């Protein structure tokens, strides 16, 4: 084959200028670097935007629902920022401190495949299994079902009731059930007067029980003083 067949004028095929090739390659390199830098700046910008919404930190807790609260709060903060799935994991885990951060480092170290990318779903599952274990949730639910006022004050009983009720949401479908469950745990001298009444709402019941308890304490105080004066 004649090397000049591809040249209609029969002359030699012109070779590209090496200087021009170098310039083109240099421009392509600059373009790729600019794209990479832009992507990096985007990630940094997202993180700065995320920090501006003041995401809470998490270290450890004695109450599993506190961990659930943190997870929900951080998800709301992430929803305010345009992030991809990997950025969600990165941003959220940067808010872990103390014991929680030690857990996260150990979890990462336990993965054998160095190419494995931890997804947002995987992180949430692992976090819940560690800090919101189902066994503890069931234990707290049973504690709520057995809760009685006993010798606690009404306020102490209410605080405990509110704390444990979060673990037994399936037991309390509406405010009426909430009212009935609170009355059920009262001592006889408080429960009896409450059973026969209509309660406008849960807070109305609480106010009545508090007043009744205070009245009973005052009566008991008067009785003891009369005995001491005899």
């Amino acid at each position: 084959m004649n090397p000049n067949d591809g040249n209609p004028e029969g002359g030699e095929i012109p070779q590209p200028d090496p200087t021009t090739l170098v310039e083109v390659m240099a421009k392509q390199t600059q373009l790729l670097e600019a794209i990479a830098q832009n992507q990096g700046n985007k990630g940094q910008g997202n993180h700065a935007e995320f920090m501006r919404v003041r995401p809470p930190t998490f270290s450890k807790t004695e109450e599993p629902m506190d961990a659930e609260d943190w997870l929900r709060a951080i998800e709301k903060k992430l929803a305010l920022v345009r992030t991809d799935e990997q950025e969600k994991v990165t941003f959220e885990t940067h808010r872990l401190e103390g014991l929680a951060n030690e857990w996260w480092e150990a979890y990462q170290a336990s993965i054998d495949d160095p190419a494995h990318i931890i997804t947002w779903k995987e992180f949430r599952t692992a976090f819940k299994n560690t800090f919101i274990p189902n066994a503890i949730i069931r234990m707290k639910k049973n504690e709520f079902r057995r809760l009685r006022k006993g010798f606690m004050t009404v306020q102490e009983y209410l605080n405990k009731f509110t704390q444990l009720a979060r673990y037994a949401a399936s037991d309390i479908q509406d405010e009426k059930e909430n009212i009935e469950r609170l009355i059920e745990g009262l001592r006889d001298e408080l429960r009896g007067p409450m059973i026969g009444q209509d309660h406008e709402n849960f807070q109305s019941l609480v106010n009545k029980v508090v007043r009744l308890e205070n009245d009973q304490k005052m009566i008991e105080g008067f009785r003891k003083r009369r005995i001491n004066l005899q």
Side-chain angles (χ1 to χ4, degrees):
M1 179 177 177
N2 190 333
N4 293 328
D5 287 348
N7 186 348
E9 297 181 359
E12 294 183 358
I13 298 176
Q15 299 298 315
D17 185 351
T19 304
T20 304
L21 282 176
V22 171
E23 291 176 351
V24 170
M25 293 179 65
K27 289 181 179 180
Q28 289 178 340
T29 301
Q30 291 174 357
L31 179 60
L32 291 174
E33 290 176 348
I35 293 173
Q37 182 177 3
N38 182 61
Q39 291 176 340
N41 291 338
K42 177 179 178 294
Q44 294 175 1
N46 286 346
H47 185 258
E49 187 177 352
F50 175 65
M51 293 303 295
R52 277 197 293 271
V53 298
R54 298 182 179 181
T57 59
F58 179 80
S59 175
K60 63 179 180 178
T61 179
E62 299 298 328
E63 288 294 333
M65 290 307 292
D66 290 343
E68 177 74 22
D69 288 343
W70 176 80
L71 195 58
R72 289 181 179 178
I74 209 79
E75 288 176 350
K76 288 181 180 179
K77 300 295 185 181
L78 286 168
L80 299 175
V81 184
R82 290 188 296 273
T83 58
D84 57 35
E85 291 300 300
Q86 191 56 45
E87 284 178 329
K88 285 182 179 181
V89 176
T90 302
F91 294 174
E92 182 162 15
T93 53
H94 279 178
R95 304 307 292 164
L96 298 176
E97 297 179 344
L99 182 64
N101 186 58
E102 292 175 6
W103 161 78
W104 173 239
E105 291 177 349
Y107 182 83
Q108 290 177 295
S110 68
I111 299 175
D112 296 329
D113 183 5
H116 176 72
I117 297 177
I118 300 174
T119 64
W120 170 246
K121 182 179 180 180
E122 179 183 350
F123 168 78
R124 291 183 78 256
T125 300
F127 180 87
K128 285 190 170 186
N129 288 341
T130 301
F131 296 100
I132 319 172
N134 289 331
I136 299 297
I137 298 297
R138 287 194 297 270
M139 183 182 71
K140 293 286 187 179
K141 180 183 290 188
N142 290 333
E143 186 179 350
F144 173 75
R145 291 170 176 173
R146 296 191 302 267
L147 180 64
R148 297 294 183 271
K149 177 182 177 297
F151 292 100
M152 290 186 287
T153 65
V154 170
Q155 188 59 55
E156 290 170 341
Y157 171 60
L158 178 62
N159 292 343
K160 194 71 173 177
F161 182 93
T162 303
Q163 175 192 3
L164 294 175
R166 302 175 65 196
Y167 298 96
S170 59
D171 289 4
I172 303 175
Q173 299 296 327
D174 53 34
E175 190 169 47
K176 181 180 178 181
E177 291 184 358
N178 207 24
I179 289 173
E180 292 174 351
R181 182 63 190 81
L182 184 72
I183 293 175
E184 182 183 340
L186 294 172
R187 295 177 66 178
D188 291 345
E189 63 270 20
L190 295 174
R191 183 173 63 251
M194 294 299 112
I195 290 177
Q197 297 188 38
D198 291 329
H199 307 287
E200 182 179 352
N201 50 48
F202 185 79
Q203 188 58 50
S204 172
L205 167 64
V206 171
N207 293 339
K208 292 176 184 178
V209 176
V210 169
R211 285 196 298 269
L212 179 58
E213 181 184 52
N214 288 337
D215 290 344
Q216 290 179 351
K217 285 182 178 180
M218 289 178 61
I219 293 172
E220 181 64 18
F222 290 147
R223 187 186 68 81
K224 288 181 178 180
R225 282 195 292 272
R226 283 199 302 269
I227 292 175
N228 292 334
L229 291 174
Q230 292 177 357

